[in-house]
Structures are given as C-alpha cells and as structure tokens.
Amino acid sequence: QVQLVESGGGLVQAGGSLRLSCAAYGSIFSFNAMGWYRQGPGKQRELVAEIRSSGNTDYADYVKGRFTITRENGKNTVLLHMNSLKPEDTSVYYCKTELPFSRVYWGRGTQVTVSS
C-alpha cells in the first residue's frame, strides 16, 4: 500500500502564489509519473500537471506558464509551484502517482481557494 500526503493548500488573493507538496510513502522503488489533478465544485477531475520519471512534464493549457511541477531532490515528493493565481483556480487539488505494473494511487486532496 502507498500513501500520498498532500500539503500547501490554503487561501490566497488573486495574483498570489502557493506551493503544493505531495510526498509518497510506502514500498516505492521507482515511479512512472506523479501529477496533480483538480476538481472544483460540480466539475470533473482534470489533469493540472504531470512529471514523468524521465523528467518530462505535461501541463494543462490553462496553467501553462503559471504553474511548474518539479520532483524534489531524488525524493518521492513532487511540488507544484503555482504563480499568478486566478479565482478560477479555486479547487480541491489531488496528487496522483503512477507506479510500475499499472499501480495508481491518489491523495485525499488539498483545498486551494483564490479570492478576488
């Protein structure tokens, strides 16, 4: 079993910044990808950003240029640096990790609220 622990959410004014962190614990020796998804009220969960074991990244169009996903110093931790936040970024953000042999795990989510 793998546990994902998310942190860094909170309330910020439009134009501000937040940094989300996701740490993976358990029997993890390598990973295929780690990423962040978000799900606002009444909306479907959607990809925000992903980083693969190769270091390649993928971003949703609406966050490209504002958000940056990184892997921390060889740890099983990913960071999502969120800059120039907009009210429409308000959502619950979920961490997901994809491990070898099609193993997928989700975090419980962390709330991000951006005020006008």
Side-chain angles (χ1 to χ4, degrees):
Q1 185 67 31
V2 173
Q3 182 181 9
L4 303 181
V5 179
E6 302 143 321
S7 63
L11 175 65
V12 66
Q13 293 192 136
S17 300
L18 286 173
R19 187 185 73 174
L20 304 185
S21 176
C22 175
Y25 299 91
S27 298
I28 303 170
F29 302 100
S30 64
F31 69 97
N32 293 339
M34 296 185 73
W36 287 93
Y37 290 67
R38 71 186 191 186
Q39 186 171 13
K43 304 180 79 174
Q44 187 172 313
R45 191 173 299 185
E46 61 187 3
L47 173 71
V48 177
E50 179 187 69
I51 185 165
R52 294 179 287 281
S53 58
S54 63
N56 290 341
T57 57
D58 191 30
Y59 296 92
D61 287 342
Y62 55 85
V63 305
K64 193 170 185 178
R66 299 189 297 122
F67 293 8
T68 303
I69 188 167
T70 59
R71 184 167 183 264
E72 188 176 52
N73 300 157
K75 299 178 180 179
N76 291 325
T77 300
V78 290
L79 306 175
L80 184 66
H81 304 265
M82 305 187 295
N83 299 313
S84 301
L85 283 161
K86 305 174 181 179
E88 48 264 46
D89 294 321
T90 295
S91 186
V92 178
Y93 285 71
Y94 298 88
C95 181
K96 185 185 81 171
T97 186
E98 300 176 8
L99 304 181
F101 307 106
S102 300
R103 297 159 61 202
V104 178
Y105 298 91
W106 290 91
R108 292 185 176 184
T110 184
Q111 177 70 46
V112 171
T113 302
V114 184
S115 63
S116 300

